[in-house]
Amino acid sequence: MGLLTFKGGVHPNDGKSLAKDKAIVELLPKGNLVYPLSQHIGAPANPIVQKGDRVLKGQKIAEAGGFVSAPIYSSVSGTVKAIEPHVNPTGAKVNSIVIENDGQYEEAAYMPVKPINEMSKEEILGRIGDAGIVGMGGAGFPTRVKLSPKEPDKIDYIIANCAECEPYITADYRRMMETPELLVEGMKVILKLFDNAKGIFGVEDNKPDCIAKLEELVKDEPRMEVKKLMTKYPQGAERQLIFATTGRAINSTMLPADAGCVVDNVETIISIYNAVVKGIPSMERVVTVSGDGVVNPGNYKVLFGTNQMELVEAAGGLKEGCEKVISGGPMMGFAMYTLDTPITKTSSSILCMSKDEVSACKPTACINCGRCVEACPSRIIPSRLADFAERHDEESFVKQNGLECVECGSCSYVCPAKRQLKQAIGSMRKTALANKKKK
């Protein structure tokens, strides 16, 4: 049987050798902590503290602002210094709670826990929601909402996204190597919510050591299975992962639950374990600092709110002449103009590159080679959609299935004319989606 995969995709240099063998280092923050009130999809959280308040580590400082929202907890003890706009990793300014760290890490009393077998499904979901857990692979969708489909009995698969297909990022890899049992225990918690579901760990075959560890841990678990995926980008994209592991397809009008699936990434599932089994809210994650523009690439467990410059300094600092810093991976991340921004729930990586290859490219006219079509995992025509986007022709863009784009960047990667296809399509797609919501 061949390796599981999807149609399309690309094989970029993964760059993972820079950090994959670097064990996770726990890093405590030095300066002030900044907590953006919008770290998730949905309504911003509402602050429940004021300037001058003393707070403890693990104390709720902002409540969910609606059904699709998530609360926020302080990851340190200290004093609320301000509630003011601050730059987040995407470059936007959002209202944020700033806390002066007293260095004591005095903890609040967490919710008492009880054995998972004695908890009802409602109690488990309540713990996940109260803990402020959101999709930590980058999407930021509130996990409680994701785990509350209309028809839970029709969910057949809980898929752990262990692909980590973005180049350079090795945070999930280190989690799977160092604490795979937490991932399996987190899967057990989720399976408690879905009586008819099976747990799948989808891992690319460039991580044979992780596959071996997980297979050993689940060998006596009849409701769990490890599936080997072909190493290909974007294997970890939600639609592509669902198709590769189950053969089921969804489009932009569907949710994974419509195909009987729920997908969560490694860090999210471990956070579920911490919240439900240990009673600890979502306050930390593992972040990769990598690229040829940083002195010592590595993986760090950091508290939310930590300044990103502190991580880069912990990795030895930027090399002289570093031209570009990206929040996230090189394919789907955001170019950053400042490192004076916090680690949030969705921060997976800080990528520092000696050369800004995108800026150095001079786009030329499309030569109709079709390489973007061959690479596109959504089976659409990126070059044509980019043309519509550049002409602001939204109607034609939507008719030609522009909303099916997953913005993976495979088209831009293979384009010999160096057209910035992803950027053009992504901008028009956001406009079209916003207009669709208004109707």
Side-chain angles (χ1 to χ4, degrees), residues 36-47 62-72 94-95:
L37 296 172
S38 293
Q39 302 186 34
H40 49 263
I41 289 177
N46 297 319
E63 291 183 327
F67 179 68
V68 182
S69 184
I72 295 169
V94 299
N95 216 22

PDB file of all heavy atoms in Angstrom, residues 36-47 62-72 94-95:
ATOM      1  N   PRO A  36      -2.979  40.015  23.519  1.00  0.00           N
ATOM      2  CA  PRO A  36      -4.003  40.571  22.616  1.00  0.00           C
ATOM      3  C   PRO A  36      -5.360  39.955  22.923  1.00  0.00           C
ATOM      4  O   PRO A  36      -5.466  38.756  23.197  1.00  0.00           O
ATOM      5  CB  PRO A  36      -3.511  40.142  21.228  1.00  0.00           C
ATOM      6  CG  PRO A  36      -2.042  39.885  21.401  1.00  0.00           C
ATOM      7  CD  PRO A  36      -1.894  39.342  22.792  1.00  0.00           C
ATOM      8  N   LEU A  37      -6.407  40.770  22.870  1.00  0.00           N
ATOM      9  CA  LEU A  37      -7.752  40.272  23.154  1.00  0.00           C
ATOM     10  C   LEU A  37      -8.334  39.506  21.967  1.00  0.00           C
ATOM     11  O   LEU A  37      -9.353  38.833  22.097  1.00  0.00           O
ATOM     12  CB  LEU A  37      -8.669  41.436  23.542  1.00  0.00           C
ATOM     13  CG  LEU A  37      -8.247  42.150  24.843  1.00  0.00           C
ATOM     14  CD1 LEU A  37      -9.083  43.404  25.065  1.00  0.00           C
ATOM     15  CD2 LEU A  37      -8.379  41.209  26.040  1.00  0.00           C
ATOM     16  N   SER A  38      -7.699  39.628  20.813  1.00  0.00           N
ATOM     17  CA  SER A  38      -8.086  38.842  19.630  1.00  0.00           C
ATOM     18  C   SER A  38      -6.934  37.909  19.291  1.00  0.00           C
ATOM     19  O   SER A  38      -6.003  38.287  18.579  1.00  0.00           O
ATOM     20  CB  SER A  38      -8.396  39.756  18.443  1.00  0.00           C
ATOM     21  OG  SER A  38      -9.543  40.521  18.674  1.00  0.00           O
ATOM     22  N   GLN A  39      -6.993  36.700  19.821  1.00  0.00           N
ATOM     23  CA  GLN A  39      -5.997  35.680  19.486  1.00  0.00           C
ATOM     24  C   GLN A  39      -6.672  34.497  18.815  1.00  0.00           C
ATOM     25  O   GLN A  39      -6.113  33.419  18.733  1.00  0.00           O
ATOM     26  CB  GLN A  39      -5.287  35.183  20.751  1.00  0.00           C
ATOM     27  CG  GLN A  39      -4.586  36.244  21.547  1.00  0.00           C
ATOM     28  CD  GLN A  39      -3.794  35.660  22.708  1.00  0.00           C
ATOM     29  OE1 GLN A  39      -3.237  34.568  22.627  1.00  0.00           O
ATOM     30  NE2 GLN A  39      -3.723  36.388  23.808  1.00  0.00           N
ATOM     31  N   HIS A  40      -7.892  34.698  18.357  1.00  0.00           N
ATOM     32  CA  HIS A  40      -8.708  33.590  17.889  1.00  0.00           C
ATOM     33  C   HIS A  40      -9.700  34.115  16.859  1.00  0.00           C
ATOM     34  O   HIS A  40      -9.928  35.324  16.741  1.00  0.00           O
ATOM     35  CB  HIS A  40      -9.472  32.988  19.068  1.00  0.00           C
ATOM     36  CG  HIS A  40     -10.172  34.028  19.900  1.00  0.00           C
ATOM     37  ND1 HIS A  40      -9.634  34.534  21.056  1.00  0.00           N
ATOM     38  CD2 HIS A  40     -11.338  34.701  19.700  1.00  0.00           C
ATOM     39  CE1 HIS A  40     -10.448  35.457  21.559  1.00  0.00           C
ATOM     40  NE2 HIS A  40     -11.488  35.581  20.739  1.00  0.00           N
ATOM     41  N   ILE A  41     -10.309  33.188  16.130  1.00  0.00           N
ATOM     42  CA  ILE A  41     -11.417  33.540  15.246  1.00  0.00           C
ATOM     43  C   ILE A  41     -12.646  33.843  16.109  1.00  0.00           C
ATOM     44  O   ILE A  41     -12.904  33.150  17.090  1.00  0.00           O
ATOM     45  CB  ILE A  41     -11.709  32.372  14.276  1.00  0.00           C
ATOM     46  CG1 ILE A  41     -10.575  32.268  13.250  1.00  0.00           C
ATOM     47  CG2 ILE A  41     -13.050  32.541  13.581  1.00  0.00           C
ATOM     48  CD1 ILE A  41     -10.725  31.101  12.304  1.00  0.00           C
ATOM     49  N   GLY A  42     -13.388  34.876  15.742  1.00  0.00           N
ATOM     50  CA  GLY A  42     -14.598  35.206  16.485  1.00  0.00           C
ATOM     51  C   GLY A  42     -14.468  36.529  17.219  1.00  0.00           C
ATOM     52  O   GLY A  42     -13.551  37.326  16.970  1.00  0.00           O
ATOM     53  N   ALA A  43     -15.393  36.741  18.142  1.00  0.00           N
ATOM     54  CA  ALA A  43     -15.431  38.007  18.874  1.00  0.00           C
ATOM     55  C   ALA A  43     -14.225  38.146  19.802  1.00  0.00           C
ATOM     56  O   ALA A  43     -13.789  37.163  20.414  1.00  0.00           O
ATOM     57  CB  ALA A  43     -16.717  38.082  19.688  1.00  0.00           C
ATOM     58  N   PRO A  44     -13.652  39.362  19.910  1.00  0.00           N
ATOM     59  CA  PRO A  44     -12.550  39.570  20.862  1.00  0.00           C
ATOM     60  C   PRO A  44     -13.010  39.265  22.287  1.00  0.00           C
ATOM     61  O   PRO A  44     -14.192  39.395  22.618  1.00  0.00           O
ATOM     62  CB  PRO A  44     -12.209  41.061  20.704  1.00  0.00           C
ATOM     63  CG  PRO A  44     -12.798  41.462  19.400  1.00  0.00           C
ATOM     64  CD  PRO A  44     -13.999  40.590  19.181  1.00  0.00           C
ATOM     65  N   ALA A  45     -12.056  38.860  23.123  1.00  0.00           N
ATOM     66  CA  ALA A  45     -12.360  38.644  24.539  1.00  0.00           C
ATOM     67  C   ALA A  45     -12.558  39.997  25.224  1.00  0.00           C
ATOM     68  O   ALA A  45     -12.036  41.027  24.771  1.00  0.00           O
ATOM     69  CB  ALA A  45     -11.235  37.867  25.198  1.00  0.00           C
ATOM     70  N   ASN A  46     -13.328  39.994  26.315  1.00  0.00           N
ATOM     71  CA  ASN A  46     -13.597  41.233  27.062  1.00  0.00           C
ATOM     72  C   ASN A  46     -12.773  41.250  28.345  1.00  0.00           C
ATOM     73  O   ASN A  46     -12.888  40.332  29.163  1.00  0.00           O
ATOM     74  CB  ASN A  46     -15.086  41.316  27.414  1.00  0.00           C
ATOM     75  CG  ASN A  46     -15.962  41.398  26.180  1.00  0.00           C
ATOM     76  OD1 ASN A  46     -15.630  42.101  25.223  1.00  0.00           O
ATOM     77  ND2 ASN A  46     -17.066  40.668  26.185  1.00  0.00           N
ATOM     78  N   PRO A  47     -11.954  42.282  28.543  1.00  0.00           N
ATOM     79  CA  PRO A  47     -11.115  42.317  29.756  1.00  0.00           C
ATOM     80  C   PRO A  47     -11.958  42.389  31.025  1.00  0.00           C
ATOM     81  O   PRO A  47     -12.979  43.081  31.059  1.00  0.00           O
ATOM     82  CB  PRO A  47     -10.273  43.580  29.565  1.00  0.00           C
ATOM     83  CG  PRO A  47     -10.979  44.399  28.546  1.00  0.00           C
ATOM     84  CD  PRO A  47     -11.742  43.446  27.682  1.00  0.00           C
ATOM     85  N   ALA A  62      -9.565  37.922  30.844  1.00  0.00           N
ATOM     86  CA  ALA A  62     -10.539  38.363  29.836  1.00  0.00           C
ATOM     87  C   ALA A  62     -11.513  37.230  29.570  1.00  0.00           C
ATOM     88  O   ALA A  62     -11.109  36.070  29.444  1.00  0.00           O
ATOM     89  CB  ALA A  62      -9.835  38.777  28.541  1.00  0.00           C
ATOM     90  N   GLU A  63     -12.803  37.573  29.489  1.00  0.00           N
ATOM     91  CA  GLU A  63     -13.843  36.575  29.239  1.00  0.00           C
ATOM     92  C   GLU A  63     -14.118  36.462  27.745  1.00  0.00           C
ATOM     93  O   GLU A  63     -13.899  37.419  26.980  1.00  0.00           O
ATOM     94  CB  GLU A  63     -15.138  36.984  29.955  1.00  0.00           C
ATOM     95  CG  GLU A  63     -15.053  36.905  31.462  1.00  0.00           C
ATOM     96  CD  GLU A  63     -16.367  37.249  32.118  1.00  0.00           C
ATOM     97  OE1 GLU A  63     -17.097  38.097  31.554  1.00  0.00           O
ATOM     98  OE2 GLU A  63     -16.645  36.698  33.182  1.00  0.00           O
ATOM     99  N   ALA A  64     -14.629  35.300  27.352  1.00  0.00           N
ATOM    100  CA  ALA A  64     -15.039  35.128  25.959  1.00  0.00           C
ATOM    101  C   ALA A  64     -16.066  36.188  25.597  1.00  0.00           C
ATOM    102  O   ALA A  64     -16.974  36.477  26.378  1.00  0.00           O
ATOM    103  CB  ALA A  64     -15.608  33.725  25.746  1.00  0.00           C
ATOM    104  N   GLY A  65     -15.918  36.746  24.389  1.00  0.00           N
ATOM    105  CA  GLY A  65     -16.817  37.822  23.973  1.00  0.00           C
ATOM    106  C   GLY A  65     -18.061  37.339  23.253  1.00  0.00           C
ATOM    107  O   GLY A  65     -18.825  38.148  22.736  1.00  0.00           O
ATOM    108  N   GLY A  66     -18.275  36.039  23.188  1.00  0.00           N
ATOM    109  CA  GLY A  66     -19.434  35.468  22.509  1.00  0.00           C
ATOM    110  C   GLY A  66     -19.295  33.975  22.422  1.00  0.00           C
ATOM    111  O   GLY A  66     -18.376  33.385  22.999  1.00  0.00           O
ATOM    112  N   PHE A  67     -20.229  33.344  21.673  1.00  0.00           N
ATOM    113  CA  PHE A  67     -20.170  31.881  21.537  1.00  0.00           C
ATOM    114  C   PHE A  67     -18.892  31.472  20.814  1.00  0.00           C
ATOM    115  O   PHE A  67     -18.205  30.522  21.224  1.00  0.00           O
ATOM    116  CB  PHE A  67     -21.399  31.382  20.768  1.00  0.00           C
ATOM    117  CG  PHE A  67     -21.396  29.890  20.567  1.00  0.00           C
ATOM    118  CD1 PHE A  67     -21.543  29.028  21.649  1.00  0.00           C
ATOM    119  CD2 PHE A  67     -21.239  29.346  19.293  1.00  0.00           C
ATOM    120  CE1 PHE A  67     -21.523  27.644  21.467  1.00  0.00           C
ATOM    121  CE2 PHE A  67     -21.223  27.969  19.111  1.00  0.00           C
ATOM    122  CZ  PHE A  67     -21.374  27.115  20.195  1.00  0.00           C
ATOM    123  N   VAL A  68     -18.567  32.180  19.721  1.00  0.00           N
ATOM    124  CA  VAL A  68     -17.319  31.904  19.013  1.00  0.00           C
ATOM    125  C   VAL A  68     -16.275  32.901  19.522  1.00  0.00           C
ATOM    126  O   VAL A  68     -16.072  33.982  18.964  1.00  0.00           O
ATOM    127  CB  VAL A  68     -17.493  32.016  17.479  1.00  0.00           C
ATOM    128  CG1 VAL A  68     -16.179  31.685  16.772  1.00  0.00           C
ATOM    129  CG2 VAL A  68     -18.595  31.095  17.007  1.00  0.00           C
ATOM    130  N   SER A  69     -15.634  32.554  20.581  1.00  0.00           N
ATOM    131  CA  SER A  69     -14.640  33.402  21.236  1.00  0.00           C
ATOM    132  C   SER A  69     -13.928  32.538  22.276  1.00  0.00           C
ATOM    133  O   SER A  69     -14.214  31.342  22.396  1.00  0.00           O
ATOM    134  CB  SER A  69     -15.303  34.617  21.893  1.00  0.00           C
ATOM    135  OG  SER A  69     -14.333  35.493  22.451  1.00  0.00           O
ATOM    136  N   ALA A  70     -12.984  33.108  22.999  1.00  0.00           N
ATOM    137  CA  ALA A  70     -12.254  32.318  23.999  1.00  0.00           C
ATOM    138  C   ALA A  70     -11.713  33.240  25.084  1.00  0.00           C
ATOM    139  O   ALA A  70     -11.266  34.361  24.785  1.00  0.00           O
ATOM    140  CB  ALA A  70     -11.104  31.551  23.345  1.00  0.00           C
ATOM    141  N   PRO A  71     -11.743  32.787  26.350  1.00  0.00           N
ATOM    142  CA  PRO A  71     -11.163  33.607  27.427  1.00  0.00           C
ATOM    143  C   PRO A  71      -9.634  33.593  27.370  1.00  0.00           C
ATOM    144  O   PRO A  71      -9.025  32.777  26.679  1.00  0.00           O
ATOM    145  CB  PRO A  71     -11.674  32.916  28.697  1.00  0.00           C
ATOM    146  CG  PRO A  71     -11.872  31.492  28.299  1.00  0.00           C
ATOM    147  CD  PRO A  71     -12.308  31.528  26.859  1.00  0.00           C
ATOM    148  N   ILE A  72      -9.036  34.502  28.123  1.00  0.00           N
ATOM    149  CA  ILE A  72      -7.577  34.628  28.165  1.00  0.00           C
ATOM    150  C   ILE A  72      -7.131  34.642  29.615  1.00  0.00           C
ATOM    151  O   ILE A  72      -7.775  35.257  30.470  1.00  0.00           O
ATOM    152  CB  ILE A  72      -7.133  35.922  27.442  1.00  0.00           C
ATOM    153  CG1 ILE A  72      -7.484  35.838  25.949  1.00  0.00           C
ATOM    154  CG2 ILE A  72      -5.632  36.160  27.606  1.00  0.00           C
ATOM    155  CD1 ILE A  72      -7.329  37.141  25.207  1.00  0.00           C
ATOM    156  N   VAL A  94      -4.045  45.550  17.903  1.00  0.00           N
ATOM    157  CA  VAL A  94      -5.276  45.102  18.564  1.00  0.00           C
ATOM    158  C   VAL A  94      -5.202  45.446  20.043  1.00  0.00           C
ATOM    159  O   VAL A  94      -4.111  45.516  20.631  1.00  0.00           O
ATOM    160  CB  VAL A  94      -5.496  43.585  18.390  1.00  0.00           C
ATOM    161  CG1 VAL A  94      -5.635  43.224  16.924  1.00  0.00           C
ATOM    162  CG2 VAL A  94      -4.372  42.791  19.014  1.00  0.00           C
ATOM    163  N   ASN A  95      -6.361  45.641  20.636  1.00  0.00           N
ATOM    164  CA  ASN A  95      -6.409  45.966  22.049  1.00  0.00           C
ATOM    165  C   ASN A  95      -5.816  44.815  22.868  1.00  0.00           C
ATOM    166  O   ASN A  95      -6.126  43.642  22.631  1.00  0.00           O
ATOM    167  CB  ASN A  95      -7.855  46.233  22.471  1.00  0.00           C
ATOM    168  CG  ASN A  95      -7.947  47.325  23.498  1.00  0.00           C
ATOM    169  OD1 ASN A  95      -7.041  48.158  23.613  1.00  0.00           O
ATOM    170  ND2 ASN A  95      -9.027  47.341  24.271  1.00  0.00           N
TER     171      ASN A  95
END
